[in-house]
Amino acid sequence: MKTYNFCYETGSLLDIIDFAHFTHEKNILVHIFCGQGQEVLQYIRDVILSHIPHAICIGTTTDGEIFGERITTLQTIISISLFEHTHLKTAYAQDEDSFQCGMQLASDLITPNTKLLILISDGTHMNAEEFLKGVESFDATIPICGGMAGDNGKFEQTYISSQYTLLSKGVVGVSLNSDILKVATDYKFDWKPIGLQHTITTVKENRVYSIDGMKAAEFYDKYLGSRFSKTEFPLILEKNGIIMARAVIAKHEDGSLSYSGNFSEGDKVRIGFGDAESLMKDPQEVLENLHAINVETFFIFSCMARRRFMPFLIKLGIGSFSKIAATSGFFTYSEFYHQNGHNKLLNQTLTVVALSESTQSVPAFKITNKEETKKDTSYSKTIQSLTHLIEQSARDYDEQSKRLEQQMDYSNTLLASHKQFLRYTVHEMNSPLSVIMGNIELHEMEFGKSVYLENIEVAVKNIFSMYDDLSYLVRKDHINYVKRPIDLVDYIRSRIDFFAQVADKAKSMFLFESNCNEAYILFNETKLQRIIDNNLTNAIKYTFEHEKIIVSIVKDADSCHFCIASHSRKIQKPEKIFEEYYREEQAQDGFGLGLNLVKRICKEEKVKITLHSDEAITSFSYQFKVENA
């Protein structure tokens, strides 16, 4: 086989190509890689088919073109390949279902001796991953190459063609059918994941609605800014042993993003960044599959991001191919690749297909442009340094994350042990406390009251109050606390009676006032006891000696107000008084958990809290809804 490549800018195509040279050839494949839009693509197609009507001709709009060792934009490359022993077929498909497009195109193109499928889809409408699955479902053994059409980075409208048919939506393809043709394919991926791992949380095929629970567009705003590059910072994931990138191709009004390929819910991804050193390395050194045949033609389908990421140096990653054989191709919106029986949709990759009908032995491989690749410009050095900085920062971050994860695992284990110990302790406390209280009562019945026993009883009641707090905290997430009608007047009286002895020992006393005989609320008794007891014990703790603690209930039409007021020091930080572990007076005993617990219960049960504190009096008021309101 032999390939001739031509570059068109303006004027007549006949001034560039002498079609008489191809008139008598039988198996002609023409690629049109057009960076000049629909009209130029149609013009070149029509001229070619009018002069060599028996040629198989496919075309695509691009995001840049490959012409030997040159990289062009807004021009058109015509590649004419002549085969001696290879039969060509072309077809197209326009089904709305991308999977069906793949099956249809494969069935139209594949023959018993098909060696390669060259496939090109539109770049803005087709779900290319589903399309490739459709091709694979028909035949999973045949190598593929090609990619999604481009429109110079606008992501508005791309065009593809097969013979005289021009499509804005759909797929076109060519099959190379031969018993002689040798095909070798390979790819080079030079993007590395950086930063945190993220999770795709809501997605439908290639349209992602949320990442880590936030809108997809907001995710990019957070990590890359609102003017992020759609192509140069893709999401990277690994599937079936292949590391792949997925670039954004469209942003929607609802904050979702469409990607060049599909995701699944739960996929773990990281943001990708180009590795400058790897990008500049001669691909001939690493694409070993291409060394297996005596190459006569290269077709290259490279991601647009590679050209845009390093526009001054991308030639270094392309130029070496043309020194071996005729080379042409285009910069795509995604690349098609086949490996281990699966068709893959790739991004950020350089994919290469080598063709040969030669029967000669494979020549020894030589790196032909080694000196050229060593030429470092200041730009390349800057990019390499920046890449190294990002990679090292990412490695440091990963190490710190691993250490933090180990510390968190240890802390969680320790916390779980503490919770288990607390549950066991709380469970075991109840019995001895009950025994102590019971024996105090029996001793008083038999021997009368004793000042020592009274002190013990007061202390035990304080311990009982703390026990009840701890018991509630330990059990609150495991028990459904049922509500029942409770007479708030009667209930508060009972709790005052319980703590009266404690107040007396603290040289204070309760004064109870109510504007009603009864006030029923629908509440859980355990939760209500925590509110009442914590307020009573705090009042005892902080009230000045020989001062009254005024407990009142005021009932109105639809609510009941429980208020406890005392003469004590002014609360200096009322905004913090309900915080966990905060105590206004550090000299006082306790953990600072009581009022925080009260606040949480009130928030759960929609009980309004009002706090007032000045030099004269401090009061806490709680507004409950009356049951019959």
Side-chain angles (χ1 to χ4, degrees):
M1 69 171 294
K2 193 165 186 178
T3 297
Y4 301 86
N5 296 320
F6 306 91
C7 181
Y8 173 84
E9 293 185 55
T10 58
S12 172
L13 186 61
L14 298 178
D15 294 335
I16 301 172
I17 302 176
D18 180 5
F19 287 103
H21 186 75
F22 308 109
T23 304
H24 301 293
E25 297 292 339
K26 292 183 179 180
N27 302 308
I28 306 173
L29 174 61
V30 180
H31 283 93
I32 305 172
F33 304 118
C34 180
Q36 296 170 288
Q38 174 190 3
E39 293 183 1
V40 174
L41 176 59
Q42 288 177 297
Y43 163 71
I44 293 177
R45 174 204 65 188
D46 292 344
V47 172
I48 290 172
L49 290 177
S50 67
H51 286 81
I52 42 175
H54 57 290
I56 296 297
C57 180
I58 61 171
T60 178
T61 52
T62 72
D63 188 65
E65 307 79 47
I66 298 168
F67 177 48
E69 64 178 13
R70 288 175 53 194
I71 304 300
T72 67
T73 56
L74 304 177
Q75 297 181 34
T76 299
I77 306 305
I78 301 102
S79 178
I80 303 177
S81 298
L82 310 177
F83 294 89
E84 294 183 20
H85 307 288
T86 300
H87 175 67
L88 308 170
K89 290 181 69 176
T90 185
Y92 67 90
Q94 286 182 287
D95 199 294
E96 288 293 327
D97 187 311
S98 299
F99 185 88
Q100 290 299 322
C101 271
M103 288 191 64
Q104 178 186 331
L105 197 67
S107 66
D108 290 341
L109 292 177
I110 294 175
T111 70
N113 64 344
T114 297
K115 290 293 190 294
L116 178 71
L117 293 178
I118 302 174
L119 308 171
I120 302 176
S121 77
D122 75 77
T124 52
H125 303 287
M126 179 65 57
N127 185 322
E129 188 155 3
E130 291 301 310
F131 160 65
L132 294 181
K133 288 179 181 178
V135 175
E136 182 182 315
S137 71
F138 186 86
D139 192 319
T141 65
I142 297 176
I144 64 169
C145 67
M148 299 182 75
D151 62 348
N152 296 305
K154 297 175 184 176
F155 292 94
E156 294 173 355
Q157 186 63 70
T158 62
Y159 294 93
I160 53 178
S161 67
S162 171
Q163 301 303 90
Y164 283 103
T165 301
L166 184 76
L167 304 176
S168 60
K169 296 181 181 179
V171 290
V172 300
V174 172
S175 63
L176 278 59
N177 311 286
S178 174
D179 296 324
I180 301 297
L181 183 69
K182 300 178 183 65
V183 177
T185 62
D186 214 332
Y187 79 102
K188 187 169 180 276
F189 181 67
D190 302 299
W191 258 248
K192 290 187 176 182
I194 57 173
L196 287 168
Q197 187 178 73
H198 307 280
T199 303
I200 303 295
T201 44
T202 310
V203 62
K204 184 176 181 181
E205 295 184 344
N206 69 327
R207 186 165 176 174
V208 176
Y209 292 88
S210 65
I211 304 172
D212 288 346
M214 71 180 79
K215 287 185 178 180
E218 292 176 358
F219 169 85
Y220 277 87
D221 289 347
K222 177 179 179 180
Y223 288 99
L224 295 174
S226 58
R227 301 183 67 180
F228 68 91
S229 170
K230 293 180 179 179
T231 56
E232 293 167 34
F233 296 92
L235 296 182
I236 293 181
L237 72 161
E238 182 175 343
K239 283 190 175 182
N240 300 320
I242 293 183
I243 297 176
M244 297 180 291
R246 293 286 179 260
V248 176
I249 59 174
K251 181 178 180 180
H252 305 284
E253 290 184 0
D254 61 359
S256 62
L257 300 173
S258 290
Y259 286 79
S260 52
N262 292 353
F263 287 102
S264 301
E265 287 189 5
D267 276 348
K268 302 299 182 182
V269 298
R270 294 169 74 183
I271 295 173
F273 183 76
D275 180 352
E277 186 173 354
S278 180
L279 275 164
M280 290 188 296
K281 186 176 291 185
D282 185 350
Q284 293 281 355
E285 294 184 49
V286 294
L287 302 183
E288 296 180 355
N289 292 349
L290 306 181
H291 306 161
I293 66 174
N294 187 10
V295 184
E296 294 178 310
T297 296
F298 284 116
F299 291 128
I300 298 176
F301 306 93
S302 180
C303 181
M304 62 177 291
R306 301 175 73 89
R307 180 180 69 80
R308 291 172 179 267
F309 183 69
M310 299 181 68
F312 303 109
L313 299 172
I314 190 63
K315 178 184 173 182
L316 297 181
I318 299 292
S320 62
F321 292 103
S322 64
K323 292 179 171 59
I324 298 173
T327 300
S328 63
F330 77 106
F331 289 93
T332 73
Y333 283 175
S334 285
E335 304 79 59
F336 304 159
Y337 191 71
H338 181 87
Q339 185 178 60
N340 301 326
H342 295 286
N343 293 337
K344 302 295 182 182
L345 180 69
L346 305 178
N347 285 129
Q348 324 305 113
T349 56
L350 171 75
T351 60
V352 185
V353 58
L355 302 177
S356 177
E357 290 183 317
S358 172
T359 57
Q360 296 180 9
S361 58
V362 180
F365 169 66
K366 293 181 180 180
I367 300 174
T368 57
N369 64 340
K370 191 170 183 179
E371 291 303 316
E372 185 178 3
T373 60
K374 286 184 177 179
K375 295 176 183 177
D376 282 344
T377 66
S378 59
Y379 176 81
S380 70
K381 291 178 180 178
T382 300
I383 292 294
Q384 284 179 298
S385 298
L386 178 59
T387 302
H388 182 77
L389 172 63
I390 292 173
E391 289 178 349
Q392 186 58 51
S393 298
R395 284 193 290 269
D396 291 345
Y397 177 82
D398 287 340
E399 291 178 5
Q400 291 173 359
S401 297
K402 288 177 182 178
R403 287 197 295 269
L404 181 59
E405 187 175 350
Q406 292 171 350
Q407 292 171 359
M408 288 180 64
D409 289 342
Y410 174 76
S411 298
N412 288 335
T413 301
L414 192 61
L415 182 60
S417 300
H418 286 175
K419 286 183 177 178
Q420 182 63 30
F421 173 76
L422 187 58
R423 281 194 290 268
Y424 175 80
T425 303
V426 169
H427 177 74
E428 295 298 322
M429 277 176 63
N430 188 49
S431 295
L433 286 173
S434 298
V435 169
I436 292 171
M437 287 296 292
N439 278 275
I440 289 173
E441 291 175 2
L442 291 172
H443 190 279
E444 288 179 345
M445 290 171 60
E446 185 173 352
F447 300 104
K449 288 192 175 290
S450 163
V451 66
Y452 301 113
L453 286 179
E454 285 182 5
N455 291 336
I456 294 173
E457 186 174 0
V458 167
V460 171
K461 286 184 176 180
N462 283 324
I463 295 174
F464 254 119
S465 181
M466 287 188 288
Y467 164 79
D468 287 336
D469 278 349
L470 290 173
S471 179
Y472 175 79
L473 286 169
V474 168
R475 302 167 64 190
K476 69 182 180 68
D477 295 326
H478 307 284
I479 294 179
N480 180 27
Y481 288 98
V482 180
K483 297 179 181 180
R484 67 175 182 84
I486 300 174
D487 181 1
L488 193 59
V489 176
D490 182 64
Y491 191 82
I492 290 175
R493 279 201 184 106
S494 69
R495 299 316 296 166
I496 288 174
D497 290 343
F498 183 83
F499 288 108
Q501 192 177 13
V502 180
D504 183 64
K505 284 294 179 183
K507 298 179 182 179
S508 59
M509 63 176 293
F510 290 113
L511 178 62
F512 180 64
E513 301 172 346
S514 177
N515 71 341
C516 58
N517 293 325
E518 60 182 29
Y520 279 91
I521 62 173
L522 189 64
F523 219 83
N524 174 264
E525 185 175 351
T526 300
K527 290 186 175 182
L528 182 61
Q529 184 180 340
R530 304 287 28 89
I531 295 174
I532 305 301
D533 285 10
N534 273 293
N535 278 275
L536 294 177
T537 54
N538 276 348
I540 293 170
K541 191 183 300 182
Y542 292 103
T543 299
F544 297 142
E545 290 185 358
H546 308 296
E547 293 286 352
K548 293 182 176 66
I549 301 169
I550 303 169
V551 182
S552 63
I553 294 178
V554 178
K555 180 182 177 184
D556 55 30
D558 58 358
S559 61
C560 185
H561 299 262
F562 159 60
C563 181
I564 183 163
S566 63
H567 298 280
S568 59
R569 292 179 182 173
K570 179 182 177 181
I571 296 176
Q572 300 300 316
K573 297 181 180 179
E575 75 280 0
K576 299 187 68 174
I577 198 68
F578 288 98
E579 288 184 7
E580 202 169 20
Y581 304 115
Y582 177 76
R583 284 181 292 151
E584 188 80 8
E585 297 180 28
Q586 296 297 321
Q588 291 287 358
D589 294 332
F591 299 105
L593 292 172
L595 285 180
N596 178 260
L597 179 59
V598 168
K599 183 180 179 180
R600 281 194 276 174
I601 293 173
C602 289
K603 184 177 180 180
E604 291 170 5
E605 303 299 333
K606 296 180 174 57
V607 175
K608 182 180 178 182
I609 304 174
T610 303
L611 167 63
H612 171 81
S613 182
D614 57 27
E615 301 296 342
I617 196 166
T618 293
S619 66
F620 290 82
S621 179
Y622 300 86
Q623 182 179 343
F624 296 86
K625 187 177 180 181
V626 176
E627 185 208 359
N628 57 4

